[in-house]
Amino acid sequence: MTTGAPTSSPSTRPRRSRLRRFLPLGVAAWLVLEIWLLTLVANAAGGLTVLLLLLASVVAGSVVIKRAGRRAFKSLNEALQRGGSPERGGGNGFMMLGGLLLMIPGLISDAAGLLLLIPPVQKGLSSYAERTFDRRLRRAAPGSLGDAFQQARIHRPDGKIVQGEVIRNDGDEPGDTAWEQRPPLTS
């Protein structure tokens, strides 16, 4: 049965992004490399040593995540008491990511997690991510989600919230003449 709507041919289908194309291959290669490296270390140092190393990295990762979470909560609490927003560049997000990478079993993820715990690396990655995000916001098409973020940043560049109270004097109270003249909401 035809509806008269044009059908799209396979040649007009949108292209897949590089990330969607190569991410599964990258994850598979990373897993194979992690397993290979763990077997090499297990053959050299023994299986119990590798097990203890993996358990120690899980404990260290959970401690790092707990510490970063407490620091983020403390920063948010202080900012709310001041009436402002939390300071930027606290590095809590990268600390949490580093802790998560420490908790994932594997030596490569542990090395990447430890690297993310170094403050200069956190600052460098933070500035790179901010530049990339700003660049993508500037290239956002009208009507897209990025355009909405850009408009919000234009209208509130400092992010300050002005405390206030709205008082309406246009007769919205029951018993006012404007209230009684409105049609009922039910049909």
Side-chain angles (χ1 to χ4, degrees), residues 12-118:
T12 61
R13 189 174 51 187
R15 275 183 26 135
R16 289 180 76 177
S17 68
R18 288 183 187 167
L19 181 67
R20 286 187 60 195
R21 182 179 302 155
F22 293 118
L23 185 65
L25 180 63
V27 168
W30 171 66
L31 287 174
V32 167
L33 191 61
E34 287 278 16
I35 292 170
W36 176 72
L37 192 57
L38 282 173
T39 56
L40 281 179
V41 172
N43 286 337
L48 183 63
T49 305
V50 170
L51 179 67
L52 291 175
L53 184 66
L54 291 176
L55 286 175
S57 69
V58 166
V59 169
S62 64
V63 167
V64 166
I65 287 177
K66 186 176 181 179
R67 181 175 167 224
R70 281 185 179 164
R71 212 168 83 182
F73 185 72
K74 181 181 174 186
S75 171
L76 178 66
N77 227 1
E78 289 173 355
L80 288 175
Q81 288 176 354
R82 282 192 321 258
S85 62
E87 77 270 357
R88 296 184 66 165
N92 294 324
F94 285 118
M95 279 189 73
M96 286 187 184
L97 181 61
L100 180 68
L101 286 172
L102 281 173
M103 290 178 74
I104 294 174
L107 299 176
I108 297 171
S109 63
D110 288 349
L114 289 173
L115 193 64
L116 282 176
L117 297 180
I118 301 171

Side-chain angles (χ1 to χ4, degrees), residues 1 15 20 61 101 129 154 163-164 166 180:
M1 179 173 163
R15 275 183 26 135
R20 286 187 60 195
L101 286 172
I154 289 171
Q163 298 279 331
V166 177
E180 294 167 356

